[in-house]
Amino acid sequence: MPTSITITSEFSGSVVAKGATDDLSAQLLRHAGFKQIDDWHGRRHRLSTTTPLADQVAIATHAAEMLRAARYDVTLPPSLDTARMSPPVHALGPYAAGAELLSITDQIRAAEDSPPSRPMGPEMKTLRSTQSLSSRASTTKCPASPSLTRT
């Protein structure tokens, strides 16, 4: 039966892990940054009260992740869990950037194929005329040699 470990924040400002009765859980907590205390309360692990709050949250979350990976049942309040604070992961995971790029490319192609929905400003008119000039120039004969065509 897996051991239940509770990581909580106390009124004193320290973060305490209770229930780590075996050596593996104690070693994982020490590796995360907790100090082991053996006193009349029994074995427990705590962070110093001078540990900054951001570090307390990071250490507690890291310890909980390691303990859960070792199949321990860990209770961690939401105030100490950065996994709950992180933004949701995109459904495509590592392919999210590629999907976003594909979406932008599709939007650009759709904008090039459709007529403008509002009157063009001077910048857009200049861009359109430059595009039409460049497309005409690419199909005209080269003046130096009438048999060559620029592509």
Side-chain angles (χ1 to χ4, degrees):
M1 179 172 223
T3 304
S4 179
I5 299 172
T6 304
I7 301 175
T8 59
S9 181
E10 294 189 334
F11 293 112
S12 65
S14 66
V15 176
V16 178
K18 296 178 183 175
T21 55
D22 63 330
D23 291 334
L24 177 60
S25 61
Q27 186 176 6
L28 290 172
L29 286 167
R30 283 193 309 269
H31 181 72
F34 283 84
K35 303 280 188 237
Q36 183 171 320
I37 299 170
D38 290 308
D39 58 9
W40 60 280
H41 290 292
R43 181 191 283 184
R44 58 195 169 103
H45 296 80
R46 68 184 282 270
L47 295 177
S48 172
T49 55
T50 59
T51 305
L53 181 61
D55 291 344
Q56 287 180 352
V57 172
I59 292 169
T61 301
H62 182 61
E65 289 172 347
M66 288 192 298
L67 289 165
R68 286 179 183 138
R71 304 283 188 219
Y72 288 96
D73 181 32
V74 180
T75 304
L76 183 67
S79 61
L80 293 174
D81 194 358
T82 58
R84 294 183 189 210
M85 295 179 196
S86 63
V89 177
H90 195 279
L92 296 175
Y95 302 107
E100 188 67 27
L101 181 61
L102 183 61
S103 172
I104 291 170
T105 305
D106 289 342
Q107 290 173 12
I108 292 170
R109 286 190 180 135
E112 288 175 348
D113 295 340
S114 65
S117 59
R118 57 190 154 107
M120 287 191 277
E123 300 87 12
M124 200 59 185
K125 286 181 182 178
T126 305
L127 177 64
R128 294 279 182 177
S129 64
T130 305
Q131 287 174 342
S132 67
L133 285 174
S134 67
S135 66
R136 278 187 267 163
S138 66
T139 59
T140 59
K141 302 259 185 210
C142 186
S145 175
S147 63
L148 295 178
T149 303
R150 228 189 295 175
T151 57

